[in-house]
Every structure is written in structure tokens, then in C-alpha cells.
Amino acid sequence: MVRSSSITPVEYSCKILPFGNWASIAIATYISLGILFIGIFAKLPVWLLVLFIVGLMYYIVTLISCIATFRLSESTLQRTLENPGFLLKKHAFMSHRWSDVKGYKNGTDRGRYRGEYEYLEVKFKNGDEWVLNDMYGAKKDEFGSFLTCFLSQVEDYNQSLPTTAPATTYANTKPVADLTPIVRKKTIYESIWGKLFTVLLGIFILAAIGFGLPYMGATSFFKLGVVIIPGFLYMAYRVFIRKG
């Protein structure tokens, strides 16, 4: 298929977790739990075990994170990992065609300690998933330019698809059925699940305040006032006021 427009290749670099956030946390947790059992067997002090496990998990996540350079061209999306460790060597370079893209999400989210950041999540038909972010605003302008180019290419690609699907194949024997539009998926703040979670969390907080305060210890009261309630207020703001 001949694309209707051409662009100068655009690049953007940021720090990522190549295996994905959940997989990276799972890897760190799995390894740390193994060390934890050894420490319990050796009868090490609890405070020492906690400090060691937290430090180990942070080190593992840092070890499997790296800087990635993303490159958009008229025909492909590419990702190159800079100085990949031994765990990431086979993932050092990846390339996909635009027809391989299944969908994407873009919006803003809030990190636990460093404030809001903007992100782009691209999902491919083979299961690959790339996540880019603006490094908590440190690379906001560069990220904005990259995102604008990405959205423009998505629009061009979708407009280049046939409006009907004849029972034939295109050049290089690619089936028409595989040439599906690239769609934008809803973020958690735009979805019905985000609304449901926020409402249920609000009910939980009201129940905790109305019936549970007399039974709360200092730690539970601290979590409620410093973690849960501020988290609920942010979710409510994003879900019902500032969506996306």
C-alpha cells in the first residue's frame, strides 16, 4: 500500500521499563521473596529484612530499566535500547510497521512521589507494548512534538485504508483483514471501570469514617488521611472533571 504522505523521521528518548511496569514489579517481587525466605530461615531481624528487601526491589527495577530511543518514520515505528544489560540484549532493537499497531492510549497520570507526567502507550497486534513518557515534564516539549507526529501518522494511516474490504490481498501478500484502523483506547480515567472504582472507593471512605474510626490505630488513620483520601480526591477530579 502506498502511503499518502511522507514525514522526516522523528526521534524521542526517555527512560522505560522494557518488560512493562507490572512485569518488572513481578520480577523484582519474585526475586526479593526468594531472598526474604532465606533471611527468615537465617533468623535475621525483621527491620533488617524489610530494609534489605525494599532496597533489593528498587535495585532490580533500576537494573532492568534503561534509556530507549523511539523513532517514527513513514513506514515504521522503531525502538532502540541504549546500553542494554544482559537481560535485555535480545530486546535491544525492535521495529514494527504501522499496520502492526493495534491501538494506543495517551493522557496524563500521577506518579506516587514526583507529580504528574504525560504518556503514550502503543500496543501492537503481536502483544508488544511500548510506553513513553515526558520524564515528569523534564522533556515536555520534545514529547509533545513526538506525540503530535505520532497522532498525525495514525490519522494518515487510517485515512489510507480502504473503506470496503474486497476479498483480495495487497502487495507482499498481506491480507486485507489485517489492515485494521488504529484506534485510541480509553484511559482508566475515561472508562466505566474508573468511575466504578472511584464511587466504590468513596463509599469505602464514608463507611470507614462513619463506622471504623474508633477501631483504627495510628497507622490505619495515617493511611486513610494521607494516602487513601487524597488518592480518592485525585481520582474523582480526573474521572468526573478533568478526563483523559
Side-chain angles (χ1 to χ4, degrees), residues 130-151:
W130 296 353
V131 180
L132 306 71
N133 62 77
D134 69 352
M135 303 289 285
Y136 290 94
K139 305 185 72 173
K140 186 176 182 63
D141 292 339
E142 295 176 55
F143 179 84
S145 298
F146 185 90
L147 178 61
T148 298
C149 181
F150 174 85
L151 296 177

Side-chain angles (χ1 to χ4, degrees), residues 57-235:
M57 291 182 67
Y58 178 81
Y59 173 76
I60 293 173
V61 172
T62 301
L63 181 66
I64 60 180
S65 66
C66 63
I67 299 296
T69 298
F70 299 87
R71 187 174 187 267
L72 300 180
S73 70
E74 182 182 359
S75 57
T76 61
L77 303 86
Q78 299 176 353
R79 188 191 74 180
T80 305
L81 304 183
E82 299 180 14
N83 301 317
F86 70 95
L87 292 174
L88 302 171
K89 282 187 176 180
K90 70 176 183 178
H91 304 278
F93 177 79
M94 301 179 71
S95 179
H96 291 283
R97 296 168 296 182
W98 284 97
S99 58
D100 296 329
V101 180
K102 181 178 180 180
Y104 71 95
K105 294 179 183 178
N106 70 289
T108 59
D109 210 337
R110 186 174 182 83
R112 179 166 295 182
Y113 305 109
R114 299 178 60 185
E116 283 194 334
Y117 61 91
E118 192 171 1
Y119 70 92
L120 169 65
E121 179 181 309
V122 185
K123 293 186 177 182
F124 298 92
K125 295 174 182 177
N126 69 344
D128 287 342
E129 181 177 309
W130 296 353
V131 180
L132 306 71
N133 62 77
D134 69 352
M135 303 289 285
Y136 290 94
K139 305 185 72 173
K140 186 176 182 63
D141 292 339
E142 295 176 55
F143 179 84
S145 298
F146 185 90
L147 178 61
T148 298
C149 181
F150 174 85
L151 296 177
S152 176
Q153 283 297 102
V154 167
E155 183 178 0
D156 287 347
Y157 174 80
N158 288 341
Q159 290 180 352
S160 72
L161 295 178
T163 55
T164 58
T168 58
T169 56
Y170 288 100
N172 301 322
T173 67
K174 185 167 185 62
V176 174
D178 289 344
L179 298 174
T180 54
I182 299 172
V183 297
R184 182 184 183 275
K185 305 291 186 179
K186 290 183 177 180
T187 66
I188 184 64
Y189 303 111
E190 299 168 310
S191 69
I192 186 64
W193 300 111
K195 294 180 175 65
L196 181 61
F197 174 80
T198 304
V199 170
L200 292 177
L201 182 59
I203 294 173
F204 169 79
I205 291 172
L206 291 176
I209 294 175
F211 304 101
L213 284 181
Y215 308 99
M216 287 186 186
T219 301
S220 298
F221 187 79
F222 176 82
K223 289 181 179 178
L224 179 65
V226 177
V227 179
I228 298 177
I229 292 179
F232 164 74
L233 293 176
Y234 181 77
M235 283 292 297

